[in-house]
Amino acid sequence: MESFGGRPVVEVSINGKGPYDFILDTGANITVVDAALSQELQLSSSGVSTALVGGGAGPQTVNISEMRVGEAQLHDMMAAAMPLGGFFKDQGAPRGVLSAAMLPGYLLTFDYPGKQITLVTGELPRADEQSIFSYPSGEVIPTLPIKVAGIETRIHVDTGAPFGITLPMKFAKQVPLAAEPKEAKPVRTPQGEFPVSTAPVKGEIRIGKYIIVIDDVRFSDVNPGHSAPTGQVGGDVLQHFAVTLDSKNHRIRLAQ
């Protein structure tokens, strides 16, 4: 596992060329290729646009005959082609984002402490809602149950987010806080720019059997491709776990 600003990065080859650095993102519902790389590889357009939150057409999609991640092979896949320079400005920035949902049938493990990503065939045991969790079959992006100071909700598992816990804005008025929320740097996404505030929570934060210790919770309606804000758990929390995704059976495991 390489890292770009707290986001896990893997090397991929596309149509026999590469390797290229891609962020491996559980929070992405479609794979994205930087427009410059798409042009360089002469990827053919599929003639379909991705849908944006709130309606309207998003970036054009392109066809990829083969993508390889280690020994795993993906064939005849569709990806969105769009400029990524506005989001990843550093030198040596990744050339795309690989959606973790594109690997059904594999157990995909992000071992943050061990700095490794593994792909093996298989499936997770049935959910116990303590360390192995199920999420609805209609959801591409996995979710986890979370209890914040006694208030329960579900949040996305987003390896593409370098932050800790983000809750929708409405929870800033529902969760007991130890201090008034402070405005933070807004988040830019393909769907637009979203304001962010942060505050310490007065109470325990728990995901299954795990107690999460963080200084501040973020509040924002930032949304990775969905019509209603859900919130995320990102790299600042996930860095303490090995996170295994079984997208075929819609299960996810946290091992501390």
Side-chain angles (χ1 to χ4, degrees):
M1 181 194 291
E2 300 298 328
S3 178
F4 179 76
R7 305 170 182 90
V9 171
V10 292
E11 289 186 339
V12 307
S13 63
I14 298 175
N15 297 345
K17 297 181 179 179
Y20 308 104
D21 285 346
F22 271 51
I23 292 171
L24 185 53
D25 191 356
T26 59
N29 57 4
I30 189 171
T31 293
V32 179
V33 179
D34 182 62
L37 178 59
S38 177
Q39 193 170 34
E40 179 183 322
L41 296 173
Q42 298 182 329
L43 300 179
S44 61
S45 172
S46 66
V48 178
S49 297
T50 57
L52 290 178
V53 173
Q60 286 289 312
T61 56
V62 293
N63 299 309
I64 295 176
S65 298
E66 181 191 70
M67 179 181 283
R68 289 176 177 259
V69 187
E71 295 181 5
Q73 300 178 34
L74 307 171
H75 295 281
D76 301 322
M77 60 183 291
M78 190 168 65
M82 61 179 292
L84 295 177
F87 306 104
F88 310 134
K89 297 181 179 179
D90 294 350
Q91 190 173 9
R95 305 298 302 276
V97 177
L98 174 59
S99 169
M102 298 295 100
L103 297 161
Y106 289 99
L107 290 180
L108 169 60
T109 298
F110 300 80
D111 180 353
Y112 282 85
K115 294 181 170 56
Q116 289 186 332
I117 289 173
T118 60
L119 277 167
V120 296
T121 54
E123 60 182 35
L124 287 176
R126 291 189 178 276
D128 58 12
E129 302 304 325
Q130 294 299 307
S131 62
I132 302 175
F133 308 89
S134 61
Y135 58 97
S137 59
E139 294 184 359
V140 175
I141 301 175
T143 58
L144 287 173
I146 188 170
K147 184 182 289 187
V148 181
I151 295 176
E152 298 182 39
T153 186
R154 294 189 71 90
I155 56 177
H156 287 126
V157 181
D158 192 352
T159 58
F163 313 110
I165 300 291
T166 302
L167 296 176
M169 277 291 191
K170 66 179 183 181
F171 285 97
K173 297 180 180 179
Q174 299 176 19
V175 172
L177 302 177
E180 286 295 313
K182 295 181 180 179
E183 187 175 338
K185 183 179 178 181
V187 173
R188 289 188 64 196
T189 77
Q191 287 76 35
E193 190 170 274
F194 295 83
V196 177
S197 62
T198 65
V201 168
K202 190 187 299 182
E204 183 181 84
I205 301 174
R206 180 180 287 271
I207 298 176
K209 69 179 183 180
Y210 300 112
I211 295 174
I212 308 300
V213 180
I214 53 175
D215 293 331
D216 292 316
V217 168
R218 293 161 55 89
F219 298 95
S220 177
D221 287 338
V222 61
N223 198 324
H226 286 250
S227 57
T230 305
Q232 299 92 24
V233 52
D236 276 357
V237 169
L238 299 179
Q239 66 177 326
H240 303 294
F241 294 91
V243 183
T244 301
L245 178 65
D246 177 357
S247 58
K248 179 181 178 180
N249 294 299
H250 288 79
R251 297 170 191 155
I252 189 164
R253 177 175 64 198
L254 298 184
Q256 199 166 39

